[in-house]
Amino acid sequence: MSRFQKGDVKWSELPDHAAIQLNDTHPALAVAELMRILLDQAHLGWDEAWDLTVRSLAYTNHTLLPEALERWPVAWFELLLPRQLEIIYEINRRFLNQVRSRYPGDEARVQRVSLIEEGATRRVRMAHMAVVGSHSTNGVAAIHSELLRTRVLRDFAEMFPDRFNNKTNGVTPRRWLQQANPGLSRLITGAIGDGWITDSAQLRKLTPLAEDAGFRAQFRAAKREAKIAFADWLKSTSNVIVDPDSIFDSQIKRIHEYKRQLLNILHVVVLYNRLRQNPNYKMTPHTFFFAGKAAPAYHFAKLIIKLIARIAATVDSDAASRDKLRVLFIPEYNVSLAERLIPASDVSEQISTAGYEASGTGNMKFMMNGALTIGTRDGATIEMASEAGEENFFLFGLTADQVAGSRGWYHPRWHYDNEPETRAALDLIFSDHFSRNEPGVFAPLRDVLLTRGDYYMHLADLTSYLEADRRLVTLYADSDEWARKAILNVASSGKFSSDRTITEYAADIWHVKACPVS
């Protein structure tokens, strides 16, 4: 604001010079703070200040989970920000008058949309303030924006339908392909030129090359180069040896129940049981990579990490499985690790409970580097599959509508009682096979999955997941056809560049034009 005031411009021109994007509800206090500046420092009237505030601010919601829909205790405001609280009360008073005028007699709606949540602890609903105090509210993938509009913020979408829109996330191909994967980048540039680096739509030129046997062979060689580079790095930094001829199957993301690392490791236990029970079981060697961090107080997420680590140690020490199955939890996950592992990965695990992943960006990075996705119809994975063709993805599981529709009647114990491999995997975990020195440590898994209703539908999707994996492994045996589908994924990844995302924000929300760079 001080920079704006130094220019020879009027406050009425603020939205023409400033576009302030609220990323989730952490910065939603900007609504009240901008009003305070315009009222108390610029001495504008309320109506003019409110008009400028709404036209200057825009809100992006990045997740449907409660942690991004913050509710701050009123007592905090009373102690620390009393003036901002006065302004919030006045914003709320005027807004609720609008609601009552438009929906007379609907006091239930008034309570739902109020910026103040009444109760034993009164709270300010920061997401409500962000929507009311801005001219645009967007989600970050088509399904996410639709769920925002029809479920989470439905009352607001009915009140302000023109404010709601979608801006699907993107990643930069310059970092996640050109720099992270030099072998594949050289191959692409040699085939279609270097225009794709600044115009990712040009990756579509690779589509006909998926039918070129010579290009498929070169593509396979580039993937193997990346796998060997990662295996060499892993050995040199941690003395862990992995087989680059095995399937590199990666799930690298924040550890959370809805992202379902637990579903992935249950799948691993099913495979392990097959190897234990049948010494002649034919299985393509498979290396599962996990990496990610859990929130400090998220104890169940940390228990999932412990389960992965214990299963990894057990599988590695068992002669029945060690030559065919490896599990690695790579510590200290960061961007530098991702830049090494993503180019090397054959398989991208995007297996969130449908309706919970806002978008994902790791899924885009894997696609851009020629990994094939096994996943649910969730987040941006839906749009990725639409671009590349669902036949080039391994999709499985319940849809978001089916997940929502199952609330109230879903019983996970049915799957335990009626699906032998599901029951055998859980029984092996509960028998302390993976926790002999710490018996009972995984008992909370039984509580979450069987007693408290399996909220994130792990058991509901496990059999479908196993079937998708069967199709994946069958395809992997045909290296030429696998390469064809992988090339089509790379060719279809251009839409998911951050260049496109930023251009849409600039045109639709910020109303700014690109500055020429000489």
Side-chain angles (χ1 to χ4, degrees), residues 397-418:
L398 301 175
T399 65
D401 285 342
Q402 289 170 332
V403 169
S406 69
R407 300 300 183 196
W409 64 262
Y410 169 59
H411 294 291
R413 185 163 285 277
W414 184 92
H415 297 280
Y416 179 83
D417 291 338
N418 292 278

Side-chain angles (χ1 to χ4, degrees), residues 171-175 177-178 188-189 192-203 494 497-500 503:
V171 300
T172 173
R174 289 168 292 283
R175 180 168 199 171
L177 179 51
Q178 184 195 18
I188 294 171
T189 297
I192 65 172
D194 63 3
W196 65 272
I197 297 170
T198 53
D199 178 12
S200 60
Q202 292 192 31
L203 289 171
S497 167
S498 55
D499 298 344
R500 185 267 315 152
T503 298

Side-chain angles (χ1 to χ4, degrees), residues 430-441:
F430 300 153
S431 72
D432 292 319
H433 182 82
F434 303 108
S435 53
R436 292 188 175 92
N437 297 325
E438 203 173 353
V441 69

Side-chain angles (χ1 to χ4, degrees), residues 52-173:
L52 296 176
T53 294
V54 170
R55 289 198 289 129
S56 298
L57 299 179
Y59 166 49
T60 297
N61 175 284
H62 286 277
T63 174
L64 304 174
L65 295 176
E67 50 256 45
L69 302 171
E70 298 179 40
R71 295 143 52 246
W72 296 7
V74 167
W76 292 2
F77 285 89
E78 292 173 336
L79 181 65
L80 300 172
L81 300 166
R83 176 54 176 151
Q84 285 83 349
L85 181 60
E86 287 181 342
I87 292 169
I88 291 168
Y89 281 150
E90 182 61 14
I91 292 170
N92 197 42
R93 184 188 71 80
R94 291 172 180 248
F95 171 60
L96 294 185
N97 283 343
Q98 283 184 275
V99 176
R100 289 188 173 101
S101 175
R102 183 164 175 178
Y103 303 99
D106 193 348
E107 285 301 307
R109 181 186 295 264
V110 170
Q111 291 180 17
R112 290 196 304 269
V113 300
S114 175
L115 273 60
I116 307 299
E117 179 181 271
E118 303 294 344
T121 301
R122 299 178 74 235
R123 298 176 184 274
V124 179
R125 294 161 164 161
M126 304 303 283
H128 292 200
M129 184 158 64
V131 175
V132 172
S134 62
H135 67 277
S136 170
T137 293
N138 72 279
V140 290
I143 184 177
H144 171 232
S145 297
E146 179 66 7
L147 292 173
L148 273 181
R149 191 179 61 80
T150 59
R151 297 184 190 176
V152 179
L153 297 173
R154 178 177 176 175
D155 291 317
F156 294 95
E158 292 175 353
M159 188 79 182
F160 308 115
D162 294 340
R163 294 187 184 183
F164 281 75
N165 62 95
N166 175 62
K167 297 290 175 281
T168 298
N169 275 339
V171 300
T172 173

Side-chain angles (χ1 to χ4, degrees), residues 274-430:
R274 291 175 183 174
L275 291 168
R276 292 173 66 237
Q277 294 164 8
N278 180 6
N280 297 317
Y281 180 69
K282 292 183 178 180
M283 177 178 164
T284 302
H286 211 132
T287 303
F288 289 89
F289 295 99
F290 293 84
K293 295 179 180 178
Y298 196 169
H299 298 296
F300 193 78
K302 293 183 177 183
L303 186 65
I304 293 171
I305 295 174
K306 175 176 278 193
L307 177 66
I308 294 168
R310 294 291 178 82
I311 290 173
T314 303
V315 166
D316 197 44
S317 64
D318 193 326
S321 57
R322 70 164 65 100
D323 293 332
K324 296 180 179 178
L325 184 62
R326 291 290 307 278
V327 181
L328 293 173
F329 188 93
I330 306 176
E332 299 301 325
Y333 175 59
N334 56 28
V335 169
S336 297
L337 169 60
E339 288 177 315
R340 296 178 184 275
L341 179 54
I342 289 173
S345 297
D346 298 300
V347 178
S348 166
E349 297 273 353
Q350 307 298 329
I351 59 176
S352 55
T353 311
Y356 284 85
E357 185 71 79
S359 173
T361 51
N363 49 5
M364 302 169 188
K365 297 166 190 172
F366 280 108
M367 181 191 198
M368 206 170 272
N369 281 274
L372 297 191
T373 299
I374 182 169
T376 52
R377 290 174 173 83
D378 198 24
T381 298
I382 296 173
E383 294 164 70
M384 291 161 52
S386 177
E387 287 290 302
E390 288 199 3
E391 68 277 10
N392 296 310
F393 275 57
F394 301 96
L395 299 178
F396 71 92
L398 301 175
T399 65
D401 285 342
Q402 289 170 332
V403 169
S406 69
R407 300 300 183 196
W409 64 262
Y410 169 59
H411 294 291
R413 185 163 285 277
W414 184 92
H415 297 280
Y416 179 83
D417 291 338
N418 292 278
E419 296 170 354
E421 288 198 310
T422 298
R423 182 170 61 254
L426 292 175
D427 285 349
L428 195 65
I429 294 170
F430 300 153

